[in-house]
Coordinates of all heavy atoms in Angstrom, one line a residue:
M318 N -11.8 -32.9 -48.0 CA -12.5 -31.7 -47.5 C -11.4 -30.6 -47.2 O -10.4 -30.9 -46.6 CB -13.2 -32.1 -46.1 CG -13.8 -30.9 -45.5 SD -14.7 -31.3 -43.9 CE -16.1 -32.1 -44.5
T319 N -11.7 -29.5 -47.7 CA -10.8 -28.4 -47.6 C -10.9 -27.7 -46.2 O -11.9 -28.0 -45.5 CB -11.0 -27.3 -48.6 OG1 -12.3 -26.6 -48.3 CG2 -11.0 -27.8 -50.0
A320 N -10.0 -26.9 -45.8 CA -10.0 -26.2 -44.5 C -11.3 -25.3 -44.4 O -12.0 -25.3 -43.4 CB -8.8 -25.4 -44.2
V321 N -11.6 -24.6 -45.5 CA -12.8 -23.8 -45.5 C -14.0 -24.6 -45.3 O -15.0 -24.2 -44.6 CB -12.8 -22.9 -46.8 CG1 -14.1 -22.2 -46.9 CG2 -11.6 -21.9 -46.8
E322 N -14.1 -25.7 -46.0 CA -15.3 -26.6 -45.9 C -15.4 -27.1 -44.5 O -16.5 -27.2 -43.9 CB -15.2 -27.7 -46.9 CG -15.4 -27.3 -48.4 CD -15.0 -28.4 -49.4 OE1 -14.3 -29.4 -49.0 OE2 -15.5 -28.3 -50.5
M323 N -14.3 -27.5 -43.9 CA -14.3 -28.0 -42.5 C -14.8 -26.9 -41.5 O -15.6 -27.2 -40.7 CB -13.0 -28.5 -42.1 CG -12.9 -29.1 -40.7 SD -11.3 -29.7 -40.2 CE -10.5 -28.2 -39.9
L324 N -14.3 -25.7 -41.7 CA -14.7 -24.6 -40.8 C -16.2 -24.3 -41.0 O -16.9 -24.0 -40.0 CB -13.8 -23.4 -41.0 CG -12.4 -23.5 -40.5 CD1 -11.6 -22.3 -41.0 CD2 -12.4 -23.6 -39.0
T325 N -16.6 -24.3 -42.2 CA -18.0 -24.0 -42.6 C -18.9 -25.1 -41.9 O -19.9 -24.8 -41.3 CB -18.2 -24.0 -44.1 OG1 -17.4 -23.0 -44.6 CG2 -19.7 -23.8 -44.4
Q326 N -18.5 -26.3 -42.0 CA -19.3 -27.4 -41.4 C -19.3 -27.3 -39.9 O -20.4 -27.5 -39.3 CB -18.7 -28.8 -41.8 CG -19.5 -29.9 -41.3 CD -18.9 -31.3 -41.7 OE1 -17.8 -31.3 -42.3 NE2 -19.6 -32.3 -41.4
T327 N -18.2 -26.9 -39.3 CA -18.1 -26.8 -37.9 C -19.0 -25.6 -37.4 O -19.7 -25.8 -36.4 CB -16.7 -26.5 -37.4 OG1 -15.8 -27.6 -37.8 CG2 -16.5 -26.3 -35.9
L328 N -19.0 -24.5 -38.1 CA -19.9 -23.4 -37.7 C -21.4 -23.8 -37.9 O -22.2 -23.4 -37.1 CB -19.6 -22.2 -38.5 CG -18.3 -21.4 -38.1 CD1 -18.0 -20.3 -39.1 CD2 -18.5 -20.8 -36.7
Q329 N -21.7 -24.5 -38.9 CA -23.1 -25.0 -39.1 C -23.5 -25.9 -38.0 O -24.7 -25.8 -37.5 CB -23.2 -25.7 -40.5 CG -23.1 -24.7 -41.7 CD -23.0 -25.4 -43.0 OE1 -22.7 -26.6 -43.1 NE2 -23.4 -24.7 -44.1
Q330 N -22.6 -26.8 -37.6 CA -23.0 -27.7 -36.5 C -23.1 -26.9 -35.2 O -24.0 -27.2 -34.4 CB -21.9 -28.7 -36.3 CG -21.9 -29.8 -37.5 CD -20.7 -30.7 -37.4 OE1 -19.6 -30.4 -36.8 NE2 -20.8 -31.8 -38.1
A331 N -22.3 -25.9 -35.0 CA -22.4 -25.1 -33.7 C -23.8 -24.3 -33.7 O -24.4 -24.3 -32.7 CB -21.3 -24.1 -33.7
H332 N -24.2 -23.8 -34.9 CA -25.5 -23.1 -35.0 C -26.6 -24.1 -34.7 O -27.6 -23.8 -34.0 CB -25.6 -22.4 -36.3 CG -24.8 -21.1 -36.4 ND1 -24.7 -20.4 -37.5 CD2 -24.1 -20.5 -35.5 CE1 -24.0 -19.4 -37.3 NE2 -23.6 -19.4 -36.1
Q333 N -26.5 -25.3 -35.3 CA -27.5 -26.3 -35.1 C -27.6 -26.7 -33.6 O -28.7 -26.8 -33.0 CB -27.2 -27.6 -35.9 CG -28.3 -28.6 -35.9 CD -27.9 -29.7 -36.9 OE1 -26.7 -30.1 -37.1 NE2 -28.9 -30.3 -37.5
M334 N -26.5 -26.9 -32.9 CA -26.5 -27.2 -31.5 C -27.1 -26.1 -30.7 O -27.8 -26.3 -29.7 CB -25.1 -27.5 -31.0 CG -24.6 -28.8 -31.5 SD -22.8 -29.3 -31.1 CE -22.5 -28.4 -29.6
L335 N -26.8 -24.8 -31.0 CA -27.4 -23.7 -30.4 C -28.9 -23.6 -30.5 O -29.6 -23.4 -29.6 CB -26.7 -22.4 -30.9 CG -27.1 -21.1 -30.2 CD1 -26.9 -21.2 -28.7 CD2 -26.4 -19.9 -30.8
N336 N -29.4 -23.9 -31.7 CA -30.8 -24.0 -32.0 C -31.4 -25.1 -31.1 O -32.5 -24.9 -30.5 CB -31.1 -24.2 -33.4 CG -31.0 -23.0 -34.3 OD1 -31.4 -21.9 -33.8 ND2 -30.4 -23.1 -35.4
Q337 N -30.8 -26.2 -31.0 CA -31.3 -27.3 -30.2 C -31.3 -26.9 -28.7 O -32.3 -27.2 -28.0 CB -30.5 -28.6 -30.4 CG -30.7 -29.2 -31.8 CD -29.8 -30.3 -32.1 OE1 -28.8 -30.6 -31.4 NE2 -30.0 -31.0 -33.2
A338 N -30.3 -26.2 -28.2 CA -30.2 -25.8 -26.8 C -31.3 -24.8 -26.5 O -31.8 -24.8 -25.4 CB -28.8 -25.2 -26.5
L339 N -31.7 -24.0 -27.4 CA -32.7 -23.0 -27.2 C -34.1 -23.5 -27.4 O -35.1 -22.8 -27.1 CB -32.4 -21.8 -28.1 CG -31.2 -21.0 -27.7 CD1 -31.0 -19.8 -28.8 CD2 -31.2 -20.4 -26.3
A340 N -34.3 -24.6 -28.0 CA -35.6 -25.1 -28.4 C -36.6 -25.1 -27.3 O -37.8 -24.7 -27.5 CB -35.5 -26.6 -28.9
D341 N -36.2 -25.4 -26.1 CA -37.2 -25.5 -25.0 C -37.3 -24.2 -24.2 O -38.0 -24.1 -23.2 CB -36.8 -26.6 -24.0 CG -37.0 -28.0 -24.6 OD1 -37.8 -28.1 -25.6 OD2 -36.3 -28.9 -24.2
F342 N -36.5 -23.2 -24.5 CA -36.5 -21.9 -23.8 C -37.7 -21.1 -24.2 O -38.1 -21.0 -25.4 CB -35.3 -21.1 -24.1 CG -34.1 -21.4 -23.3 CD1 -33.4 -22.6 -23.4 CD2 -33.5 -20.5 -22.4 CE1 -32.3 -22.9 -22.6 CE2 -32.4 -20.7 -21.7 CZ -31.8 -22.0 -21.8
S343 N -38.3 -20.4 -23.3 CA -39.3 -19.4 -23.6 C -38.6 -18.0 -23.5 O -37.4 -17.9 -23.1 CB -40.4 -19.4 -22.5 OG -40.0 -19.0 -21.3
D344 N -39.3 -17.0 -23.9 CA -38.7 -15.6 -23.8 C -38.3 -15.3 -22.3 O -37.2 -14.8 -22.0 CB -39.6 -14.5 -24.3 CG -39.7 -14.6 -25.8 OD1 -38.9 -15.1 -26.5 OD2 -40.8 -14.1 -26.3
A345 N -39.2 -15.7 -21.4 CA -38.9 -15.5 -20.0 C -37.7 -16.3 -19.5 O -37.0 -15.8 -18.7 CB -40.2 -15.8 -19.2
D346 N -37.6 -17.5 -20.0 CA -36.5 -18.4 -19.6 C -35.1 -17.7 -19.9 O -34.1 -18.0 -19.2 CB -36.5 -19.7 -20.3 CG -37.7 -20.6 -19.8 OD1 -38.2 -20.4 -18.6 OD2 -38.1 -21.5 -20.5
L347 N -35.1 -17.0 -21.0 CA -33.8 -16.4 -21.4 C -33.3 -15.4 -20.4 O -32.1 -15.1 -20.3 CB -34.0 -15.6 -22.8 CG -34.2 -16.5 -24.0 CD1 -34.5 -15.7 -25.2 CD2 -33.0 -17.4 -24.2
L348 N -34.2 -14.9 -19.5 CA -33.8 -13.9 -18.5 C -33.6 -14.4 -17.1 O -33.4 -13.7 -16.2 CB -34.8 -12.7 -18.5 CG -34.8 -11.9 -19.8 CD1 -36.0 -11.0 -19.9 CD2 -33.5 -11.1 -20.0
V349 N -33.7 -15.7 -17.0 CA -33.6 -16.4 -15.7 C -32.1 -16.5 -15.3 O -31.3 -17.0 -16.2 CB -34.3 -17.7 -15.6 CG1 -34.0 -18.5 -14.3 CG2 -35.8 -17.6 -15.8
R350 N -31.7 -16.1 -14.2 CA -30.3 -16.3 -13.7 C -30.3 -17.6 -12.9 O -31.1 -17.7 -11.9 CB -29.9 -15.1 -12.8 CG -29.8 -13.8 -13.6 CD -29.4 -12.6 -12.8 NE -29.5 -11.4 -13.5 CZ -28.6 -10.9 -14.3 NH1 -27.4 -11.6 -14.4 NH2 -28.7 -9.8 -15.0
P351 N -29.5 -18.6 -13.3 CA -29.6 -19.9 -12.6 C -29.2 -19.8 -11.1 O -29.7 -20.6 -10.3 CB -28.6 -20.7 -13.4 CG -27.7 -19.7 -14.2 CD -28.6 -18.5 -14.4
V352 N -28.3 -18.9 -10.8 CA -28.0 -18.6 -9.4 C -27.8 -17.1 -9.3 O -27.4 -16.4 -10.3 CB -26.7 -19.4 -8.9 CG1 -27.0 -20.9 -8.9 CG2 -25.5 -19.0 -9.7
P353 N -27.9 -16.5 -8.1 CA -27.7 -15.1 -7.9 C -26.3 -14.7 -8.5 O -25.3 -15.4 -8.2 CB -27.8 -14.8 -6.4 CG -28.7 -16.0 -5.9 CD -28.3 -17.1 -6.8
G354 N -26.2 -13.6 -9.2 CA -24.9 -13.1 -9.8 C -24.5 -13.8 -11.1 O -23.6 -13.3 -11.7
A355 N -25.2 -14.8 -11.5 CA -24.9 -15.5 -12.8 C -25.5 -14.7 -13.9 O -26.5 -14.0 -13.7 CB -25.4 -16.9 -12.8
N356 N -24.9 -14.8 -15.1 CA -25.5 -14.2 -16.3 C -26.6 -15.0 -16.8 O -26.5 -16.2 -16.9 CB -24.4 -14.0 -17.3 CG -23.3 -13.1 -16.9 OD1 -23.6 -12.1 -16.2 ND2 -22.1 -13.4 -17.2
H357 N -27.7 -14.4 -17.3 CA -28.8 -15.1 -17.9 C -28.5 -15.4 -19.4 O -27.5 -14.8 -19.9 CB -30.1 -14.3 -17.8 CG -30.1 -12.9 -18.1 ND1 -29.9 -12.4 -19.4 CD2 -30.2 -11.8 -17.4 CE1 -29.9 -11.1 -19.5 NE2 -30.1 -10.7 -18.3
A358 N -29.2 -16.3 -20.0 CA -29.0 -16.7 -21.3 C -29.1 -15.6 -22.3 O -28.3 -15.6 -23.3 CB -29.9 -17.8 -21.7
A359 N -30.0 -14.6 -22.1 CA -30.1 -13.5 -23.1 C -28.8 -12.7 -23.2 O -28.3 -12.3 -24.2 CB -31.3 -12.6 -22.7
W360 N -28.2 -12.4 -22.0 CA -26.9 -11.7 -22.0 C -25.8 -12.6 -22.6 O -25.0 -12.1 -23.4 CB -26.5 -11.3 -20.6 CG -25.2 -10.5 -20.7 CD1 -25.1 -9.2 -21.0 CD2 -23.9 -11.1 -20.6 NE1 -23.7 -8.9 -21.0 CE2 -23.0 -10.0 -20.8 CE3 -23.4 -12.3 -20.3 CZ2 -21.6 -10.1 -20.7 CZ3 -22.0 -12.5 -20.3 CH2 -21.1 -11.4 -20.4
Q361 N -25.8 -13.9 -22.3 CA -24.7 -14.8 -22.9 C -24.8 -14.8 -24.4 O -23.8 -14.7 -25.1 CB -24.9 -16.2 -22.3 CG -24.5 -16.2 -20.8 CD -24.7 -17.6 -20.2 OE1 -24.5 -18.6 -20.9 NE2 -25.0 -17.6 -18.9
L362 N -26.0 -14.9 -24.9 CA -26.2 -14.9 -26.4 C -25.8 -13.6 -27.0 O -25.1 -13.6 -28.0 CB -27.7 -15.2 -26.7 CG -28.1 -16.6 -26.5 CD1 -29.6 -16.7 -26.6 CD2 -27.4 -17.6 -27.5
T363 N -26.1 -12.5 -26.3 CA -25.8 -11.2 -26.8 C -24.2 -11.1 -26.8 O -23.6 -10.6 -27.8 CB -26.4 -10.1 -25.9 OG1 -27.8 -10.2 -26.0 CG2 -26.0 -8.7 -26.4
H364 N -23.6 -11.5 -25.8 CA -22.1 -11.4 -25.6 C -21.5 -12.3 -26.7 O -20.5 -11.8 -27.4 CB -21.7 -11.9 -24.2 CG -20.3 -11.8 -24.0 ND1 -19.6 -10.6 -23.8 CD2 -19.3 -12.8 -23.9 CE1 -18.3 -10.8 -23.6 NE2 -18.1 -12.1 -23.7
I365 N -21.9 -13.5 -26.9 CA -21.3 -14.4 -27.9 C -21.4 -13.8 -29.3 O -20.5 -13.8 -30.1 CB -21.9 -15.8 -27.8 CG1 -21.5 -16.5 -26.5 CG2 -21.5 -16.7 -29.0 CD1 -22.2 -17.7 -26.1
I366 N -22.6 -13.4 -29.6 CA -22.9 -12.9 -31.0 C -22.1 -11.6 -31.2 O -21.4 -11.5 -32.3 CB -24.4 -12.6 -31.2 CG1 -25.1 -14.0 -31.2 CG2 -24.6 -11.8 -32.5 CD1 -26.6 -13.8 -31.1
A367 N -22.1 -10.7 -30.3 CA -21.3 -9.4 -30.4 C -19.8 -9.7 -30.5 O -19.1 -9.1 -31.4 CB -21.6 -8.5 -29.3
A368 N -19.3 -10.7 -29.8 CA -17.9 -11.0 -29.8 C -17.5 -11.7 -31.1 O -16.5 -11.3 -31.7 CB -17.5 -12.0 -28.6
E369 N -18.4 -12.6 -31.6 CA -18.1 -13.2 -32.9 C -18.1 -12.2 -34.1 O -17.2 -12.2 -34.9 CB -19.1 -14.3 -33.2 CG -18.7 -15.0 -34.5 CD -19.5 -16.3 -34.8 OE1 -20.0 -16.9 -33.8 OE2 -19.7 -16.6 -35.9
V370 N -19.0 -11.3 -34.1 CA -19.1 -10.2 -35.1 C -17.8 -9.3 -35.0 O -17.2 -9.0 -36.0 CB -20.4 -9.4 -35.0 CG1 -20.3 -8.2 -35.9 CG2 -21.6 -10.3 -35.4
H371 N -17.5 -9.0 -33.8 CA -16.3 -8.1 -33.6 C -15.0 -8.9 -34.1 O -14.2 -8.3 -34.8 CB -16.1 -7.8 -32.1 CG -14.9 -7.0 -31.8 ND1 -14.8 -5.7 -32.1 CD2 -13.7 -7.4 -31.2 CE1 -13.6 -5.3 -31.8 NE2 -12.9 -6.3 -31.2
M372 N -14.8 -10.1 -33.7 CA -13.6 -10.9 -34.1 C -13.6 -11.1 -35.6 O -12.6 -10.9 -36.3 CB -13.6 -12.2 -33.4 CG -13.2 -12.1 -32.0 SD -13.0 -13.7 -31.2 CE -14.7 -14.2 -31.0
M373 N -14.7 -11.4 -36.2 CA -14.8 -11.6 -37.7 C -14.6 -10.3 -38.4 O -13.9 -10.3 -39.5 CB -16.1 -12.3 -38.1 CG -16.2 -13.7 -37.6 SD -14.8 -14.8 -38.0 CE -15.0 -14.8 -39.8
S374 N -15.1 -9.2 -37.9 CA -14.9 -7.9 -38.6 C -13.4 -7.5 -38.5 O -12.9 -6.9 -39.5 CB -15.7 -6.9 -37.8 OG -17.1 -7.1 -38.0
A375 N -12.7 -7.9 -37.5 CA -11.3 -7.7 -37.4 C -10.5 -8.4 -38.5 O -9.4 -7.9 -38.9 CB -10.7 -8.1 -36.1
T376 N -11.1 -9.4 -39.1 CA -10.4 -10.1 -40.2 C -10.9 -9.6 -41.5 O -10.6 -10.2 -42.6 CB -10.7 -11.6 -40.1 OG1 -12.1 -11.9 -40.4 CG2 -10.3 -12.2 -38.8
K377 N -11.6 -8.5 -41.5 CA -12.2 -7.9 -42.7 C -13.2 -8.7 -43.4 O -13.5 -8.5 -44.5 CB -11.1 -7.5 -43.7 CG -9.9 -6.7 -43.2 CD -10.3 -5.3 -42.8 CE -9.1 -4.5 -42.4 NZ -9.2 -3.8 -41.3
S378 N -13.8 -9.6 -42.6 CA -14.9 -10.5 -43.1 C -16.2 -9.6 -43.2 O -16.4 -8.8 -42.3 CB -15.1 -11.7 -42.2 OG -14.0 -12.5 -42.2
Q379 N -17.0 -9.9 -44.1 CA -18.3 -9.3 -44.2 C -19.3 -10.0 -43.2 O -19.5 -11.2 -43.3 CB -18.9 -9.5 -45.6 CG -18.3 -8.6 -46.7 CD -18.8 -7.1 -46.6 OE1 -19.9 -6.9 -45.9 NE2 -18.2 -6.2 -47.2
M380 N -19.8 -9.2 -42.3 CA -20.7 -9.7 -41.3 C -22.0 -8.9 -41.4 O -22.0 -7.7 -41.6 CB -20.1 -9.5 -39.9 CG -18.9 -10.3 -39.6 SD -19.1 -12.1 -39.8 CE -20.1 -12.4 -38.3
P381 N -23.1 -9.6 -41.2 CA -24.4 -8.9 -41.2 C -24.4 -7.8 -40.0 O -23.7 -8.0 -39.0 CB -25.5 -9.9 -40.9 CG -24.8 -11.2 -41.2 CD -23.3 -11.0 -41.0
S382 N -25.2 -6.8 -40.2 CA -25.3 -5.7 -39.2 C -26.1 -6.2 -38.0 O -27.1 -7.0 -38.2 CB -26.0 -4.5 -39.8 OG -25.2 -3.9 -40.8
L383 N -25.7 -5.9 -36.8 CA -26.4 -6.2 -35.6 C -27.5 -5.1 -35.4 O -27.3 -4.0 -35.8 CB -25.5 -6.3 -34.4 CG -24.5 -7.4 -34.5 CD1 -23.5 -7.3 -33.3 CD2 -25.2 -8.8 -34.5
P384 N -28.5 -5.5 -34.6 CA -29.6 -4.4 -34.3 C -28.9 -3.3 -33.6 O -27.9 -3.4 -32.9 CB -30.5 -5.2 -33.4 CG -30.4 -6.6 -33.7 CD -28.9 -6.8 -34.1
P385 N -29.5 -2.1 -33.7 CA -28.9 -0.9 -33.0 C -28.8 -1.2 -31.5 O -29.7 -1.8 -30.9 CB -30.0 0.2 -33.2 CG -30.7 -0.3 -34.4 CD -30.7 -1.8 -34.4
D386 N -27.7 -0.7 -30.9 CA -27.4 -0.9 -29.4 C -27.2 -2.3 -29.0 O -27.1 -2.6 -27.8 CB -28.5 -0.2 -28.6 CG -28.6 1.3 -28.8 OD1 -27.6 1.9 -29.1 OD2 -29.8 1.8 -28.7
F387 N -27.2 -3.3 -29.9 CA -27.1 -4.7 -29.5 C -25.7 -4.9 -28.8 O -25.7 -5.4 -27.7 CB -27.1 -5.6 -30.8 CG -27.1 -7.0 -30.5 CD1 -28.2 -7.7 -30.2 CD2 -25.8 -7.7 -30.5 CE1 -28.2 -9.1 -30.0 CE2 -25.8 -9.1 -30.2 CZ -26.9 -9.8 -30.0
A388 N -24.6 -4.5 -29.4 CA -23.3 -4.8 -28.8 C -23.1 -4.0 -27.6 O -22.3 -4.5 -26.7 CB -22.2 -4.5 -29.9
S389 N -23.8 -2.9 -27.4 CA -23.5 -2.1 -26.1 C -24.0 -2.8 -24.9 O -23.7 -2.5 -23.8 CB -24.2 -0.8 -26.3 OG -25.6 -0.9 -26.3
K390 N -24.8 -3.9 -25.1 CA -25.4 -4.6 -23.9 C -24.5 -5.9 -23.6 O -24.8 -6.7 -22.8 CB -26.8 -5.0 -24.2 CG -27.7 -3.8 -24.2 CD -29.1 -4.1 -24.4 CE -30.0 -2.9 -24.4 NZ -30.2 -2.3 -25.7
A391 N -23.4 -6.1 -24.4 CA -22.6 -7.3 -24.2 C -21.5 -7.1 -23.3 O -20.6 -7.9 -23.2 CB -22.1 -7.7 -25.6
N392 N -21.5 -6.0 -22.5 CA -20.5 -5.7 -21.5 C -20.9 -6.0 -20.1 O -22.0 -6.5 -19.9 CB -20.0 -4.3 -21.7 CG -21.1 -3.3 -21.5 OD1 -22.2 -3.6 -20.9 ND2 -21.0 -2.1 -22.1
K393 N -20.0 -5.7 -19.1 CA -20.3 -5.9 -17.7 C -21.6 -5.2 -17.3 O -22.4 -5.8 -16.5 CB -19.2 -5.5 -16.9 CG -19.3 -5.8 -15.4 CD -18.1 -5.4 -14.6 CE -18.2 -5.7 -13.2 NZ -17.0 -5.4 -12.4
E394 N -21.8 -4.0 -17.7 CA -23.0 -3.2 -17.4 C -24.3 -3.9 -18.0 O -25.3 -4.0 -17.3 CB -22.9 -1.8 -17.8 CG -21.9 -0.9 -17.1 CD -20.5 -1.2 -17.6 OE1 -20.3 -1.7 -18.7 OE2 -19.5 -0.9 -16.8
G395 N -24.2 -4.4 -19.2 CA -25.3 -5.1 -19.8 C -25.6 -6.4 -19.0 O -26.8 -6.8 -19.0
A396 N -24.6 -7.0 -18.4 CA -24.9 -8.2 -17.7 C -25.8 -8.0 -16.5 O -26.5 -9.0 -16.0 CB -23.6 -8.9 -17.2
A397 N -25.9 -6.8 -16.0 CA -26.8 -6.5 -14.9 C -28.2 -6.2 -15.3 O -29.1 -6.1 -14.4 CB -26.2 -5.3 -14.1
L398 N -28.5 -6.1 -16.6 CA -29.8 -5.7 -17.1 C -30.7 -7.0 -16.9 O -30.3 -8.1 -17.2 CB -29.8 -5.2 -18.5 CG -29.0 -4.0 -18.7 CD1 -28.8 -3.7 -20.2 CD2 -29.6 -2.8 -18.0
N399 N -32.0 -6.7 -16.6 CA -32.9 -7.8 -16.4 C -34.2 -7.6 -17.2 O -35.1 -8.5 -17.2 CB -33.3 -8.0 -15.0 CG -32.1 -8.5 -14.2 OD1 -31.5 -9.5 -14.5 ND2 -31.8 -7.8 -13.1
S400 N -34.4 -6.5 -17.9 CA -35.7 -6.2 -18.5 C -35.7 -6.9 -19.9 O -34.8 -6.8 -20.7 CB -35.8 -4.7 -18.7 OG -36.9 -4.4 -19.5
P401 N -36.9 -7.5 -20.2 CA -37.0 -8.0 -21.6 C -36.8 -7.0 -22.7 O -36.4 -7.3 -23.8 CB -38.5 -8.6 -21.6 CG -38.8 -8.7 -20.2 CD -38.1 -7.7 -19.4
A402 N -37.1 -5.7 -22.4 CA -36.9 -4.7 -23.4 C -35.4 -4.4 -23.7 O -35.1 -3.9 -24.8 CB -37.5 -3.4 -22.9
D403 N -34.5 -4.9 -22.9 CA -33.1 -4.7 -23.1 C -32.4 -5.7 -24.0 O -31.3 -5.5 -24.5 CB -32.3 -4.7 -21.7 CG -32.7 -3.5 -20.9 OD1 -32.9 -2.4 -21.4 OD2 -32.8 -3.7 -19.6
F404 N -33.1 -6.8 -24.3 CA -32.5 -7.9 -25.0 C -33.5 -8.4 -26.1 O -34.7 -8.1 -26.1 CB -32.2 -9.1 -24.1 CG -31.1 -8.7 -23.1 CD1 -31.4 -8.3 -21.8 CD2 -29.8 -8.8 -23.5 CE1 -30.5 -8.0 -20.9 CE2 -28.8 -8.5 -22.6 CZ -29.1 -8.1 -21.3
L405 N -33.0 -9.1 -27.1 CA -33.9 -9.7 -28.1 C -34.7 -10.8 -27.5 O -34.3 -11.4 -26.4 CB -33.0 -10.3 -29.2 CG -32.1 -9.3 -30.0 CD1 -31.3 -10.1 -31.1 CD2 -32.8 -8.2 -30.6
N406 N -35.8 -11.1 -28.1 CA -36.6 -12.3 -27.6 C -36.0 -13.5 -28.4 O -35.2 -13.4 -29.2 CB -38.1 -12.1 -27.8 CG -38.5 -11.9 -29.3 OD1 -37.9 -12.5 -30.2 ND2 -39.4 -11.1 -29.5
K407 N -36.6 -14.7 -28.0 CA -36.1 -15.9 -28.6 C -36.2 -15.9 -30.1 O -35.2 -16.3 -30.8 CB -36.9 -17.1 -28.0 CG -36.4 -18.4 -28.6 CD -37.3 -19.6 -28.0 CE -37.1 -20.9 -28.7 NZ -37.9 -22.0 -28.1
A408 N -37.3 -15.5 -30.6 CA -37.5 -15.6 -32.1 C -36.4 -14.6 -32.8 O -35.9 -15.0 -33.8 CB -38.9 -15.1 -32.5
Q409 N -36.2 -13.5 -32.2 CA -35.2 -12.6 -32.7 C -33.8 -13.1 -32.7 O -33.0 -13.0 -33.6 CB -35.3 -11.2 -32.0 CG -36.6 -10.5 -32.3 CD -36.7 -9.3 -31.4 OE1 -36.5 -9.4 -30.1 NE2 -37.2 -8.2 -31.9
F410 N -33.4 -13.8 -31.5 CA -32.1 -14.4 -31.5 C -32.0 -15.5 -32.5 O -31.0 -15.6 -33.2 CB -31.9 -15.0 -30.1 CG -31.3 -14.1 -29.0 CD1 -32.1 -13.8 -27.9 CD2 -30.1 -13.4 -29.2 CE1 -31.6 -13.0 -26.9 CE2 -29.6 -12.6 -28.2 CZ -30.3 -12.3 -27.1
L411 N -33.0 -16.3 -32.6 CA -32.9 -17.4 -33.6 C -32.8 -16.9 -35.0 O -32.1 -17.5 -35.9 CB -34.1 -18.4 -33.5 CG -34.2 -19.2 -32.2 CD1 -35.5 -20.0 -32.1 CD2 -33.0 -20.1 -32.1
A412 N -33.5 -15.8 -35.3 CA -33.4 -15.2 -36.7 C -32.0 -14.7 -36.9 O -31.5 -14.8 -38.0 CB -34.5 -14.1 -36.8
L413 N -31.4 -14.0 -35.9 CA -30.1 -13.5 -36.1 C -29.1 -14.6 -36.3 O -28.2 -14.6 -37.1 CB -29.8 -12.7 -34.8 CG -28.6 -11.7 -34.9 CD1 -28.8 -10.7 -36.0 CD2 -28.5 -11.0 -33.5
I414 N -29.3 -15.7 -35.5 CA -28.4 -16.9 -35.6 C -28.5 -17.5 -37.0 O -27.5 -17.9 -37.7 CB -28.7 -17.9 -34.5 CG1 -28.2 -17.3 -33.2 CG2 -28.0 -19.2 -34.8 CD1 -28.8 -18.0 -32.0
A415 N -29.8 -17.6 -37.5 CA -30.0 -18.2 -38.8 C -29.4 -17.5 -39.9 O -29.0 -18.1 -40.9 CB -31.5 -18.3 -39.0
H416 N -29.2 -16.2 -39.8 CA -28.6 -15.4 -40.8 C -27.0 -15.2 -40.6 O -26.4 -14.4 -41.2 CB -29.2 -14.0 -40.8 CG -30.6 -14.0 -41.4 ND1 -31.7 -14.1 -40.6 CD2 -31.0 -14.0 -42.7 CE1 -32.8 -14.2 -41.4 NE2 -32.4 -14.1 -42.6
G417 N -26.5 -16.1 -39.7 CA -25.1 -16.1 -39.5 C -24.6 -14.8 -38.8 O -23.5 -14.4 -39.0
F418 N -25.5 -14.3 -37.9 CA -25.2 -13.1 -37.1 C -25.2 -12.0 -38.1 O -24.9 -11.0 -38.1 CB -24.0 -13.1 -36.3 CG -23.9 -14.3 -35.4 CD1 -22.7 -14.9 -35.2 CD2 -25.0 -14.8 -34.7 CE1 -22.6 -16.0 -34.3 CE2 -24.9 -15.9 -33.9 CZ -23.7 -16.5 -33.6

């Protein structure tokens, strides 16, 4: 197995694990803060996806475009947002993940 094949397999497994972790979530569950002051899953997913796209773009890799204003919610100010209108819903997150961000 080459290094590229190993990295590809690792990323595929990570996406599969993420899909399994989200399987039982509803759209409303994505916005639940487990304790006061904690980040909800919708912000965590936004942050992880935006960070991965940013890091990969720095290597000149071709990355799919993110929805408008997506990355702007991946910061500290975005972490305070609670409205469903501010984040993708579960189906939208899963579609974005399926396309490799």
Side-chain angles (χ1 to χ4, degrees):
M318 177 180 287
T319 68
V321 171
E322 290 170 337
M323 183 179 73
L324 289 171
T325 300
Q326 182 180 7
T327 300
L328 284 173
Q329 289 170 340
Q330 289 171 340
H332 284 174
Q333 188 176 32
M334 287 175 29
L335 185 55
N336 281 320
Q337 290 171 349
L339 293 176
D341 293 335
F342 275 66
S343 68
D344 289 338
D346 291 337
L347 291 175
L348 295 168
V349 172
R350 296 180 187 275
V352 295
N356 296 321
H357 50 66
W360 181 84
Q361 292 178 30
L362 289 168
T363 301
H364 182 73
I365 290 168
I366 292 168
E369 184 171 332
V370 168
H371 176 74
M372 287 184 285
M373 293 304 295
S374 295
T376 67
K377 309 290 187 228
S378 298
Q379 284 282 344
M380 296 297 292
S382 297
L383 293 175
D386 298 328
F387 183 89
S389 69
K390 295 182 176 89
N392 57 23
K393 185 176 180 179
E394 291 78 23
L398 299 172
N399 292 307
S400 172
D403 292 322
F404 296 96
L405 301 181
N406 63 37
K407 178 183 170 180
Q409 292 168 319
F410 274 121
L411 291 175
L413 197 57
I414 292 164
H416 289 95
F418 306 141

